[in-house]
Amino acid sequence: MEIKEFKNIFSDIAKSNHLKKNFGGWFTESDECILMLDLQKSNFSNIYYLNIKIYIQGAFGNIYIPSKELLKIQGGDVFRRTPPDFNDVFDLSNHMNDLERNKKLNSLFDNFIMPFTTKALTKSGLKQLSSENQVVLLPAIKEELYK
């Protein structure tokens, strides 16, 4: 699959799940958090990584607005990538056919990204994700979240 086609399919699936495309990524927000998805190309191969960045409104006195600058910040307040079960869908050099890749991208959204996003858009959901070892909260973030 060509890179442009892969990004278009990813974008279509993200938009069908109510994520907005802007600033070179996809995002959704609530009053408590912003979640941004960013596809990052490997410097060494034809592999992409999906960066999932969460910004907590009010953490450290910050009020976030979705922007290109926010998307380009390395990790966000909370950061993670997709589960290893989905790594092959981001490897464009493997021999996965287009139909299978499309199906697996849909599965990624249905079974991981959207359930994760629902929790990640609230402070209580982030606490739950942390207790389930779905995210690691750095000590300063944990302190802010549990204030």
Side-chain angles (χ1 to χ4, degrees):
M1 178 174 281
E2 296 294 320
I3 292 168
K4 186 175 182 176
E5 183 182 2
F6 173 75
K7 286 182 175 181
N8 285 338
I9 290 169
F10 185 92
S11 188
D12 289 346
I13 295 168
K15 288 189 273 186
S16 74
N17 281 282
H18 310 289
L19 278 88
K20 299 171 191 151
K21 181 168 179 19
N22 213 340
F23 321 113
W26 300 265
F27 73 95
T28 187
E29 62 186 314
S30 71
D31 290 340
E32 296 183 35
C33 300
I34 296 173
L35 180 135
M36 298 186 102
L37 303 178
D38 173 34
L39 284 171
Q40 177 185 346
K41 170 85 169 68
S42 168
N43 291 328
F44 305 103
S45 63
N46 205 16
I47 294 175
Y48 279 81
Y49 304 101
L50 181 62
N51 299 320
I52 304 168
K53 304 172 187 182
I54 303 154
Y55 300 89
I56 303 166
Q57 297 292 13
F60 310 106
N62 294 323
I63 300 300
Y64 297 105
I65 298 170
S67 65
K68 186 173 187 169
E69 293 73 26
L70 192 62
L71 184 67
K72 296 305 173 193
I73 294 173
Q74 276 306 101
D77 293 329
V78 180
F79 175 87
R80 81 156 287 163
R81 290 210 167 128
T82 54
D85 298 353
F86 293 98
N87 287 348
D88 60 341
V89 78
F90 295 100
D91 181 354
L92 302 187
S93 63
N94 67 20
H95 297 291
M96 185 181 291
N97 69 50
D98 293 357
L99 183 61
E100 185 180 350
R101 192 176 310 274
N102 193 324
K103 188 175 182 179
K104 194 152 187 182
L105 278 171
N106 274 294
S107 176
L108 169 66
F109 274 85
D110 292 344
N111 298 309
F112 173 71
I113 292 176
M114 297 318 298
F116 178 86
T117 296
T118 299
K119 291 180 184 175
L121 287 175
T122 66
K123 293 176 183 177
S124 63
L126 282 172
K127 292 174 188 176
Q128 182 182 355
L129 288 169
S130 175
S131 71
E132 296 169 351
N133 295 319
Q134 292 288 320
V135 296
V136 174
L137 299 176
L138 297 175
I141 296 297
K142 195 173 216 174
E143 187 177 316
E144 283 289 308
L145 199 55
Y146 283 88
K147 276 185 177 180

